Amino acid sequence: MNTMKQKWMTIPMAVCLLSACGSGEDTRQPLHSVTTIEAGNASRQIVKTFSGIVKEKAEVSLGFRTGGQIEKIHVKEGQRIRSGQLLAQLDAADYQLALDASEARFVQQRDELERLKQLKASKSISANDYEKAESGFKQTEVELKSNRNQLKYTRLAAPADGYVQSVNKEEAEMVNAGTPVFQLLIDGPMEIEVALPEEVCRQRDRIASIRCKAAGREVPVRLLNILPKADAVQLYKALLLIEDREAGLPAGMNVEVDFHLQSASAEGTLALPVGAVFHAEGKDYVWVVGTDSTVTRREVGIGSIDGDGNLVIAAGLTGEEKIVKAGVHALTEGEKVKVLPRPAKTNVGGLL
C-alpha cells in the first residue's frame, strides 16, 4: 500500500514539472539596453548662469521748482506721457500779481532811465545820479525775469517720454519746492541688472560672450559695466544694455543671463552630458560599463558647466571608460546590460 501511495504522489509532481517546462516561459528579467559614451574634452568656455532683472533707463522723482498749492493734476498713474506734456499746476494767482507789479516797476524805471539819459547828455545831472538810476533799473529787470520764471515754475511738464509710475500728491495740497509729486519711468534703452559673485568679477577679462533669455527667447545684450564695490552680501552689480530697442521687456521682469567665461585650464579637462551623472547619498556618480557588460558605480567630482552645456568632471575618470549616457536611475550595482551600437556618423539622428 505504501508503495502505491508513493507512486500516486509522484505523478502530480511530474505533471507539474512537465507543464512548467512545456510552457516555455522565461522568468528572467530582460536586460536594460544602454548607450555608452566616453568623457570628452570640456569646452574651453565655462558657463555661469545668474538671474537678472530688467531696469528702466531712468526713474525720475519730479516736483515743482517753487512752492504753493496744487490746483490741478492732469495725469494718472500708469498713463503714457510725452515730453513737454503738462502734468500738474499750482495756484498761480500770487505769482501773477508779483509779476504784474515787477513789470510795472520795470516800465516806470525804463522810462525814467531814458529821461535821465537825456539830462546826462545835457549835463543837467551828475554821472553818479545817472549810475544809481541805471543800477536800480537793472535790479528791477532781474526781478522781472525771476518773477516770470516763478510763474512758469507753477506748471510742471514731463521732461521726456515715458510713463507715470506714481502720483504722490493730491489736488489742493501744499507742496514745497522740490517735493516729489510724480515718479516717472523715462523711455530709453532698457538695462538688465545682475548680481555677480567675486569669482566672476575677477575673471572679467575672460568673459567671451553674454546671453540673455527672457520669455522663452534670446535677447541680445552688451556689458556696460561692473561696479567695483560689493554690496552687503559681497555681490557686484553688473549692468547690461538690451540692444534690441523693440524687445518689449517690461521693467521689473526676471531674466536668465549666461556668462561664457574663457577657461585657461580647459585643455585636458573632461566633460559628460548632464544625463550621465546621478546624485545619491550626497555624492555624484556615473555608471561605468565593464568588458563583461556589467555596470559599476563610480564616484566623480563635478565642476561647473562648460560652453556646450556639459558637466565638467573634475575627478574620478581617465577618459577611457565607457559611461552609460542616459537612463542612469534605472540601473543597479553589478547589473548586466545590453550595450546598443552607436549610430554611424553618416546616420544622422540614428534613423537608418
Side-chain angles (χ1 to χ4, degrees):
M1 286 292 292
N2 291 336
T3 304
M4 291 295 294
K5 287 182 179 180
Q6 290 177 355
K7 287 182 179 180
W8 283 109
M9 291 175 64
T10 304
I11 292 174
M13 293 178 62
V15 172
C16 290
L17 290 173
L18 288 173
S19 300
C21 294
S23 65
E25 292 182 0
D26 190 351
T27 58
R28 291 178 300 172
Q29 294 292 330
L31 298 179
H32 283 109
S33 299
V34 299
T35 56
T36 60
I37 188 173
E38 289 89 13
N41 287 330
S43 168
R44 284 185 172 273
Q45 290 186 3
I46 297 175
V47 179
K48 300 284 188 178
T49 303
F50 305 97
S51 61
I53 186 168
V54 179
K55 307 285 286 187
E56 63 282 344
K57 178 186 177 183
E59 184 174 335
V60 178
S61 294
L62 195 65
F64 290 97
R65 296 178 65 177
T66 189
Q69 185 178 36
I70 299 177
E71 182 178 75
K72 182 68 175 177
I73 294 177
H74 297 278
V75 293
K76 297 179 180 180
E77 291 185 359
Q79 182 174 332
R80 175 74 176 168
I81 56 174
R82 296 296 180 184
S83 178
Q85 180 178 342
L86 181 63
L87 305 180
Q89 62 191 73
L90 299 175
D91 182 355
D94 292 339
Y95 291 101
Q96 185 65 56
L97 290 174
L99 177 60
D100 293 342
S102 61
E103 283 180 341
R105 286 194 297 271
F106 174 80
V107 172
Q108 180 186 8
Q109 292 190 13
R110 182 190 62 189
D111 295 343
E112 180 66 15
L113 187 63
E114 187 64 31
R115 185 179 68 82
L116 293 177
K117 184 184 291 186
Q118 295 174 3
L119 293 176
K120 179 187 175 186
S122 62
K123 298 183 180 181
S124 298
I125 62 170
S126 65
N128 186 47
D129 290 339
Y130 178 80
E131 289 173 358
K132 288 181 180 179
E134 186 178 38
S135 176
F137 171 73
K138 289 181 178 178
Q139 290 178 5
T140 302
E141 186 177 26
V142 171
E143 181 184 340
L144 174 61
K145 290 180 180 178
S146 175
N147 286 332
R148 283 174 177 169
N149 287 337
Q150 290 296 313
L151 181 62
K152 182 174 66 175
Y153 295 157
T154 62
R155 297 170 65 84
L156 187 58
D161 294 351
Y163 290 89
V164 179
Q165 183 178 16
S166 63
V167 180
N168 306 323
K169 297 295 179 181
E170 300 288 341
E171 293 178 359
E173 279 194 72
M174 296 294 297
V175 293
N176 296 322
T179 300
V181 178
F182 300 101
Q183 203 76 14
L184 306 180
L185 299 180
I186 301 303
D187 283 354
M190 304 291 279
E191 297 177 356
I192 295 175
E193 183 178 308
V194 184
L196 300 178
E198 182 183 357
E199 62 169 312
V200 176
C201 293
R202 284 191 281 103
Q203 302 181 73
R204 176 175 178 171
D205 57 339
R206 292 184 180 175
I207 297 177
S209 62
I210 302 174
R211 294 179 182 175
C212 173
K213 296 178 182 177
R217 60 191 177 94
E218 188 167 319
V219 178
V221 295
R222 175 168 55 86
L223 179 64
L224 290 176
N225 196 11
I226 299 178
L227 302 188
K229 184 177 180 180
D231 60 15
V233 291
Q234 295 301 301
L235 295 175
Y236 296 80
K237 182 190 296 185
L239 295 176
L240 312 176
L241 176 68
I242 300 178
E243 296 188 308
D244 183 4
R245 295 291 295 269
E246 305 300 325
L249 303 183
M253 179 180 184
N254 291 318
V255 297
E256 186 178 278
V257 182
D258 294 335
F259 284 76
H260 294 249
L261 304 177
Q262 198 73 18
S263 175
S265 59
E267 190 67 32
T269 303
L270 300 177
L272 284 172
V274 175
V277 181
F278 63 98
H279 194 75
E281 303 165 1
K283 298 179 181 180
D284 296 302
Y285 296 93
V286 297
W287 290 113
V288 178
V289 181
T291 55
D292 59 350
S293 297
T294 59
V295 293
T296 304
R297 191 170 69 169
R298 175 84 61 86
E299 182 182 350
V300 293
I302 300 299
S304 55
I305 298 177
D306 71 3
D308 296 328
N310 296 320
L311 288 175
V312 175
I313 306 301
L317 297 177
T318 65
E320 299 178 357
E321 300 91 343
K322 285 182 169 46
I323 309 298
V324 176
K325 185 177 181 182
V328 294
H329 298 288
L331 304 177
T332 58
E333 179 70 24
E335 178 181 348
K336 197 174 187 66
V337 295
K338 178 181 178 181
V339 179
L340 298 176
R342 300 180 188 177
K345 293 183 178 180
T346 54
N347 182 13
V348 179
L351 299 177
L352 300 177

